[in-house]
Amino acid sequence: MNTKLLSFSKLAMSLSLVFAIGACSGVNSTNSTASSAPADSGSHPVEFYANQVGFLPLQQKHIVVRTSQALTYRVTNTANGQTILEGATSSPDYWALADQTVAVADVSSITAPGLYRLSVGDTDYTTFRISAQRVSALHDATIKAYYYNRAGMALDPAFAGKWHREAGHPDTHVLNLNKPQVSLASPKGWYDAGDYNKYIVNSGISTYTLMRAYLDFPDFYAQRRWNIPESTNNQPDLLDEISWNLDWMLTMQDQDGGVFHKLTTLNFAPAVMPAEATEQRYVVAKGTAASLNFAAVMATAARMYPQQQSNFLAAAKKAWQWALENPQMAYKNAQNVKTGEYGDSSFNDEFAWAASELFLTTGEQGYLSETERYLGSPATPGWSNTMGLAYLSLLADEGRKTLPAQRYKLLRARFLDYADTLVKTSKNSPFRTALAAKDFVWGSNGVAMNHAMILASAYRLTNNPDYHHAFTGLVDYVLGKNPTGYSYVTGFGEQTPLFIHHRQSQADGIAEPVPGFLAGGAQNGQQDHCRYPSSLPATSYTDSWCSYSTNEVTINWNAPLVYSLAAMLARED
Ligand code: G3I
Ligand code: 9MR
């Protein structure tokens, strides 16, 4: 493999990008002749942090300006040079998580599509766009990322363009690690992330989140296509993409109903293409989290795919039953298994989620009692906390029709209380972003997008614009309104990750990484011991292959981004 050539071409691209940003009017660009800039320190150019992809016409539009004093600004339309807005920023505020003092320029009153320039003084400026087309293209790329991560399928140039590749991981002869004489077929599914393994727990939340998008925005998805092999059939592409993973998940159920935790090699593969990663794969240990997660996903799928309803529901019930009989089977990697653990040892949230989905699908009171028994406070979803997913389903259309009215009202109030805490964080945040110190964990951008999904749902329930502002403020955050200056989605923005921890992107010899993937984002655990520009939570990020703790991509972080973009676009339709 020609790694030298590859890294040279990637480096060249990175340099040209930096040059482009410095030299022209990209977001975060500043003019280097800073003498006349009325900036905080007098002699430095002003830095801007803005959504680098595009705002939707009707959303709130905040641009963050790094300054220690309030500034006046001017917005011109680049198409004709006319000034269309003059304003003053908010008074600056200090964000300790980034050690930055910033103010906010609110340009929400501009709603016409176009390319605009926001200037401070004569020399400092940034540009921003209002463009539904760009947001729409971004949505399609973030869901197409799942196609690029399909296991067991060759990616044809007709669909994958220059990122075409051979098939890898047919998974037709997978061994059971505990009974190595038994082999099974467990094909298809999505690779979890930058690695090639397939983990039920993380697959479950990802698959559910995409199903949630379909169930909440069926009209948006009905005609939507993004050029995958199934685009010419008569079902929406989203249903086809999800099916690819459901088919795999079904194979992970053992005859007794229990579900294997993961399908994996013993060690992480080196950075090679899928077809070259040919180590033996195993299914590993049945467990409570995997079985409940599977039960929830299959029960939801039974509502989504009426023709396969009985098959999905039967699988869900069997897995639920197994979990009742094995309620404390936590997963831990055996000593010789070094891949992702997704270990969890408290299962009330998984019980609540699975019971909720079974109740919503069957209407059976027994599942409602189990839901009542396990349902706790709402929280932002994550692979190890599925309580929020139960709320999302119970409060969506399915729940409104199925739950007793009083119960629905109570759960709605609880959920909105939780969403209110996120709104409060957002309003008090110098970056107008609902992220607190505790959110800067491995996959902080996934946390941001799961907060966004909660807020988008709160908005759907109430039409209260506060929820919408906090929600889109988080989307803006991952698209560039953050103190690293990166738009974290590959291929979308002026400064986007080039060196994601994604084996295909690292090994394919193509300068640009596979597009549409959300990088994990800033956090200062630095578990990979790479070099970082900062040790602060919100700026400890580096765009390098080395950094699997900030620059890997996964199916569970992309999914709530897909959901959020669908929610934004569906509202403006
Ligand atoms: O559970 C402890 C908690 O008790 C403690 O207070 C907290 C303090 O930081 O840490 C918690 O553990 C964290 C754990 O996730 C559970 O949330 C670890 O610090 C953190 O390092 C760990 O990160 C996970 C990472 O794998 C390493 O295991 C990420 O959430 C998870 O998204 C990531 O997933 C990997 C897969 O294993 C393999 N495939 C790629 C994927 C993404 O990088
Ligand atoms: O490449 C692996 C990545 O996909 C995982 O998310 C990550 C966390 O478990 O681990 C990465 O593998 C690293 C391993 O854990 C330690 N040695 C270096 C590996 C990356 O090159």
Side-chain angles (χ1 to χ4, degrees):
M1 162 77 233
N2 194 346
T3 39
K4 277 205 183 120
L5 187 63
L6 167 66
S7 38
F8 177 74
S9 68
K10 287 205 177 183
L11 183 67
M13 179 162 171
S14 153
L15 287 175
S16 68
L17 194 72
V18 169
F19 177 75
I21 289 168
C24 68
S25 63
V27 170
N28 293 340
S29 73
T30 54
N31 191 309
S32 55
T33 50
S35 52
S36 57
D40 50 345
S41 53
S43 60
H44 291 298
V46 179
E47 283 178 48
F48 302 91
Y49 301 119
N51 175 329
Q52 299 173 21
V53 177
F55 293 112
L56 285 183
L58 303 181
Q59 77 169 99
Q60 187 176 63
K61 305 170 194 76
H62 281 164
I63 292 176
V64 170
V65 188
R66 195 164 174 189
T67 175
S68 56
Q69 62 195 64
L71 298 172
T72 55
Y73 62 85
R74 186 172 80 252
V75 178
T76 51
N77 186 339
T78 62
N80 53 21
Q82 275 177 4
T83 298
I84 51 166
L85 180 69
E86 286 179 314
T89 65
S90 63
S91 43
D93 236 333
Y94 176 69
W95 202 30
L97 300 178
D99 187 26
Q100 290 189 14
T101 301
V102 295
V104 172
D106 187 343
V107 296
S108 306
S109 61
I110 306 170
T111 56
L115 176 63
Y116 298 93
R117 171 185 286 213
L118 181 146
S119 317
V120 168
D122 294 334
T123 52
D124 289 322
Y125 61 87
T126 186
T127 55
F128 66 91
R129 285 173 201 272
I130 299 178
S131 167
Q133 280 87 345
R134 286 170 70 98
V135 180
S136 183
L138 174 68
H139 167 274
D140 291 355
T142 58
I143 180 62
K144 178 113 177 221
Y146 291 80
Y147 161 73
Y148 286 113
N149 249 30
R150 285 190 194 179
M153 176 185 263
L155 305 190
D156 188 293
F159 310 110
K162 65 180 168 188
W163 293 282
H164 66 88
R165 61 161 171 82
E166 288 172 42
H169 306 93
D171 288 336
T172 44
H173 296 286
V174 174
L175 301 181
N176 181 334
L177 191 63
N178 303 323
K179 296 187 210 152
Q181 66 285 10
V182 178
S183 121
L184 70 150
S186 189
K188 303 169 83 177
W190 303 306
Y191 298 129
D192 184 54
D195 64 325
Y196 293 134
N197 304 299
K198 305 189 286 196
Y199 308 83
I200 284 291
V201 164
N202 204 46
S203 240
I205 181 171
S206 311
T207 308
Y208 170 79
T209 302
L210 296 179
M211 290 197 285
R212 188 75 264 142
Y214 184 82
L215 290 165
D216 287 351
F217 312 110
D219 296 342
F220 174 77
Y221 282 110
Q223 300 305 325
R224 209 158 178 100
R225 305 277 186 273
W226 45 85
N227 191 30
I228 55 176
E230 302 82 4
S231 290
T232 45
N233 73 12
N234 55 11
Q235 86 170 334
D237 278 5
L238 186 56
L239 292 183
D240 290 314
E241 194 54 63
I242 293 170
S243 284
W244 186 263
N245 203 56
L246 289 170
D247 288 353
W248 165 66
M249 286 184 78
L250 281 173
T251 68
M252 291 290 279
Q253 185 168 42
D254 203 4
Q255 279 167 3
D256 64 356
V259 178
F260 293 106
H261 190 76
K262 61 177 174 175
L263 189 160
T264 183
T265 46
L266 297 181
N267 296 294
F268 284 114
V272 298
M273 292 301 280
E276 294 163 41
T278 54
E279 290 293 300
Q280 179 63 49
R281 312 244 284 177
Y282 299 90
V283 291
V284 174
K286 289 176 272 187
T288 310
S291 300
L292 289 170
N293 208 290
F294 174 101
V297 166
M298 292 304 158
T300 310
R303 301 198 294 276
M304 286 250 307
Y305 297 85
Q307 279 148 355
Q308 295 163 75
Q309 179 172 15
S310 56
N311 190 21
F312 284 139
L313 188 55
K317 286 181 169 177
K318 260 181 97 170
W320 168 261
Q321 199 52 44
W322 189 92
L324 289 183
E325 288 154 20
N326 300 274
Q328 283 304 330
M329 199 80 92
Y331 177 77
K332 247 194 123 20
N333 270 345
Q335 228 196 332
N336 59 340
V337 179
K338 307 290 186 206
T339 54
E341 188 159 72
Y342 289 118
D344 190 3
S345 50
S346 61
F347 304 121
N348 279 2
D349 53 322
E350 281 85 6
F351 272 109
W353 181 34
S356 301
E357 302 301 352
L358 280 159
F359 166 64
L360 294 172
T361 304
T362 63
E364 287 173 24
Q365 293 307 301
Y367 292 121
L368 180 57
S369 316
E370 296 286 356
T371 302
E372 302 294 2
R373 178 160 160 215
Y374 290 107
L375 196 69
S377 305
T380 293
W383 63 260
S384 66
N385 189 350
T386 61
M387 202 64 90
L389 306 181
Y391 276 88
L392 290 177
S393 287
L394 291 167
L395 295 177
D397 283 351
E398 304 105 283
R400 205 167 28 77
K401 291 183 197 133
T402 322
L403 271 180
Q406 276 311 312
R407 190 63 187 150
Y408 183 86
K409 221 174 131 187
L410 182 83
L411 297 185
R412 181 181 185 274
R414 266 202 225 161
F415 181 80
L416 294 178
D417 279 350
Y418 178 67
D420 288 344
T421 64
L422 296 175
V423 169
K424 198 168 161 206
T425 307
S426 185
K427 284 189 171 168
N428 291 336
S429 149
F431 273 73
R432 300 293 188 276
T433 302
L435 287 172
K438 65 173 173 28
D439 296 326
F440 286 91
V441 293
W442 190 314
S444 58
N445 286 340
V447 177
M449 289 302 93
N450 276 298
H451 284 335
M453 182 163 66
I454 294 285
L455 287 160
S457 301
Y459 175 70
R460 273 166 55 77
L461 289 171
T462 60
N463 273 328
N464 176 343
D466 279 353
Y467 296 126
H468 202 269
H469 297 337
F471 150 47
T472 58
L474 284 158
V475 174
D476 292 340
Y477 170 89
V478 298
L479 298 179
K481 194 196 66 175
N482 70 67
T484 69
Y486 274 88
S487 166
Y488 284 114
V489 182
T490 53
F492 286 81
E494 316 288 329
Q495 189 183 9
T496 81
L498 293 173
F499 307 100
I500 51 174
H501 193 87
H502 183 241
R503 282 169 172 71
Q504 292 174 62
S505 296
Q506 177 71 4
D508 62 10
I510 300 167
E512 300 94 329
V514 172
F517 273 114
L518 176 66
Q523 62 107 4
N524 59 354
Q526 304 191 353
Q527 292 88 340
D528 41 42
H529 307 292
C530 306
R531 282 166 63 102
Y532 287 88
S534 149
S535 57
L536 293 169
T539 45
S540 172
Y541 166 77
T542 182
D543 176 22
S544 81
W545 157 261
C546 171
S547 179
Y548 52 81
S549 77
T550 73
N551 208 30
E552 189 159 5
V553 300
T554 71
I555 55 175
N556 65 311
W557 304 331
N558 254 59
L561 173 59
V562 172
Y563 182 97
S564 297
L565 294 169
M568 287 175 71
L569 289 160
R571 177 203 188 221
E572 303 225 1
D573 262 358

Coordinates of all heavy atoms in Angstrom, one line a residue, residues 192-195 199 268 340-342 383-384 442 527 548 552-554 556-557, ligand 1:
D192 N -19.5 -0.7 12.2 CA -19.8 0.2 13.3 C -19.3 1.6 13.1 O -19.9 2.6 13.4 CB -19.2 -0.3 14.6 CG -19.6 0.5 15.8 OD1 -20.8 0.7 16.0 OD2 -18.7 0.9 16.5
A193 N -18.1 1.7 12.5 CA -17.4 3.0 12.7 C -16.2 3.0 11.7 O -16.3 2.5 10.6 CB -17.0 3.1 14.1
G194 N -15.0 3.4 12.3 CA -13.8 3.3 11.5 C -13.3 1.9 11.6 O -12.4 1.5 10.8
D195 N -13.8 1.1 12.5 CA -13.4 -0.3 12.5 C -14.5 -1.1 11.7 O -15.5 -0.6 11.4 CB -13.2 -0.8 13.9 CG -14.5 -0.8 14.8 OD1 -15.3 0.1 14.6 OD2 -14.7 -1.7 15.6
Y199 N -21.6 -4.4 16.1 CA -21.9 -4.5 17.6 C -23.4 -4.2 17.7 O -23.9 -3.2 17.4 CB -21.2 -3.4 18.4 CG -19.7 -3.3 18.2 CD1 -19.1 -2.6 17.1 CD2 -18.8 -3.9 19.1 CE1 -17.7 -2.5 16.9 CE2 -17.4 -3.8 18.9 CZ -16.9 -3.1 17.8 OH -15.5 -3.0 17.7
F268 N -8.5 -5.3 16.6 CA -8.8 -4.4 15.5 C -8.0 -4.7 14.3 O -6.8 -4.9 14.4 CB -8.6 -3.0 16.0 CG -9.7 -2.5 16.9 CD1 -9.4 -2.1 18.2 CD2 -11.0 -2.3 16.5 CE1 -10.4 -1.7 19.1 CE2 -12.0 -1.8 17.3 CZ -11.7 -1.5 18.7
G340 N -14.1 -3.2 20.4 CA -15.0 -2.3 21.2 C -15.9 -3.1 22.1 O -16.3 -4.2 21.8
E341 N -16.1 -2.6 23.3 CA -16.8 -3.4 24.4 C -18.3 -3.1 24.4 O -19.1 -3.9 24.5 CB -16.1 -3.1 25.7 CG -16.7 -4.0 26.8 CD -15.8 -4.1 28.0 OE1 -15.6 -3.2 28.7 OE2 -15.1 -5.2 28.2
Y342 N -18.6 -1.8 24.3 CA -20.0 -1.4 24.5 C -20.6 -2.1 25.7 O -21.6 -2.7 25.6 CB -20.8 -1.6 23.2 CG -20.5 -0.7 22.1 CD1 -20.0 -1.1 20.9 CD2 -20.6 0.7 22.2 CE1 -19.6 -0.3 19.8 CE2 -20.3 1.6 21.2 CZ -19.8 1.1 20.0 OH -19.5 2.0 19.0
W383 N -25.5 5.2 23.5 CA -25.5 3.7 23.3 C -25.7 3.0 24.7 O -26.2 1.9 24.8 CB -24.2 3.2 22.6 CG -22.9 3.4 23.3 CD1 -22.0 4.4 23.0 CD2 -22.4 2.7 24.4 NE1 -20.9 4.3 23.9 CE2 -21.1 3.3 24.8 CE3 -22.8 1.6 25.2 CZ2 -20.3 2.8 25.8 CZ3 -22.0 1.1 26.2 CH2 -20.7 1.7 26.5
S384 N -25.3 3.7 25.8 CA -25.4 3.0 27.1 C -26.7 3.6 27.9 O -26.9 3.2 29.0 CB -24.2 3.2 27.9 OG -24.0 4.6 28.2
W442 N -16.1 11.1 24.8 CA -15.8 10.4 23.6 C -17.1 10.4 22.7 O -18.1 9.9 23.1 CB -15.4 9.0 23.9 CG -14.8 8.2 22.8 CD1 -15.3 8.1 21.5 CD2 -13.7 7.3 22.9 NE1 -14.5 7.2 20.8 CE2 -13.5 6.7 21.6 CE3 -12.8 7.0 23.9 CZ2 -12.5 5.8 21.3 CZ3 -11.8 6.1 23.6 CH2 -11.6 5.5 22.3
Q527 N -7.5 9.6 25.2 CA -7.2 8.2 25.4 C -6.2 7.5 24.5 O -5.6 6.5 24.7 CB -8.5 7.3 25.4 CG -9.5 7.6 26.5 CD -10.5 8.8 26.2 OE1 -10.2 9.6 25.4 NE2 -11.6 8.9 26.9
Y548 N -8.3 8.4 17.5 CA -9.5 7.7 17.5 C -10.5 8.2 18.5 O -11.7 8.0 18.5 CB -9.4 6.2 17.5 CG -8.5 5.6 18.6 CD1 -9.0 5.4 19.9 CD2 -7.2 5.2 18.3 CE1 -8.2 4.9 20.9 CE2 -6.4 4.7 19.3 CZ -6.9 4.5 20.6 OH -6.1 4.0 21.6
E552 N -12.8 9.6 15.1 CA -13.4 8.5 14.5 C -14.8 8.9 14.1 O -15.3 9.9 14.5 CB -13.4 7.3 15.5 CG -13.8 6.0 14.8 CD -13.4 4.7 15.5 OE1 -12.9 4.8 16.6 OE2 -13.6 3.6 14.9
V553 N -15.4 8.1 13.3 CA -16.8 8.3 12.9 C -17.6 7.0 13.2 O -17.0 5.9 13.2 CB -16.9 8.6 11.4 CG1 -16.1 9.8 11.0 CG2 -16.4 7.4 10.5
T554 N -18.8 7.2 13.5 CA -19.6 6.0 13.8 C -21.1 6.1 13.4 O -21.6 7.2 13.2 CB -19.7 5.7 15.3 OG1 -20.6 6.7 15.9 CG2 -18.4 5.7 16.1
N556 N -23.6 5.5 15.1 CA -24.5 6.1 16.2 C -24.4 7.6 16.3 O -25.2 8.3 16.9 CB -24.3 5.4 17.5 CG -23.0 5.7 18.1 OD1 -22.0 5.5 17.5 ND2 -22.9 6.1 19.4
W557 N -23.3 8.2 15.8 CA -23.2 9.7 15.9 C -23.8 10.2 14.6 O -24.4 11.3 14.6 CB -21.7 10.1 16.0 CG -21.1 9.5 17.2 CD1 -21.7 9.1 18.4 CD2 -19.7 9.2 17.4 NE1 -20.7 8.6 19.3 CE2 -19.5 8.7 18.7 CE3 -18.6 9.4 16.5 CZ2 -18.3 8.3 19.1 CZ3 -17.3 9.0 17.0 CH2 -17.2 8.4 18.3
Ligands
G3I1 O1 -18.4 4.3 32.5 C1 -17.5 5.3 32.9 C2 -18.0 6.2 33.9 O2 -18.3 5.5 35.1 C3 -17.0 7.3 34.2 O3 -17.6 8.3 35.1 C4 -16.7 8.1 32.9 C5 -15.6 9.1 33.0 O4 -15.1 9.5 31.8 O5 -16.2 7.1 31.9 C6 -17.2 6.1 31.6 O6 -16.6 5.3 30.7 C7 -16.5 5.7 29.4 C8 -17.2 4.7 28.5 O7 -17.1 5.1 27.1 C9 -18.7 4.6 28.8 O8 -19.4 5.8 28.5 C10 -15.1 5.9 29.0 O9 -14.5 6.9 29.7 C11 -15.0 6.2 27.5 O10 -13.6 6.1 27.1 C12 -15.8 5.2 26.7 O11 -15.7 5.6 25.4 C13 -16.2 4.7 24.4 C14 -15.1 4.1 23.5 O12 -15.7 3.3 22.5 C15 -14.1 3.3 24.3 O13 -14.6 2.2 24.8 C16 -17.2 5.4 23.5 O14 -18.4 5.8 24.4 C17 -17.7 4.6 22.4 O15 -18.5 5.4 21.5 C18 -16.5 4.0 21.6 O16 -17.0 3.2 20.7 C19 -16.1 2.7 19.7 C20 -16.2 1.2 19.7 O17 -15.7 0.7 21.0 C21 -15.5 0.5 18.5 N1 -15.9 1.1 17.3 C22 -15.7 2.5 17.2 C23 -16.4 3.3 18.3 C24 -16.2 4.8 18.3 O18 -15.0 5.2 18.6

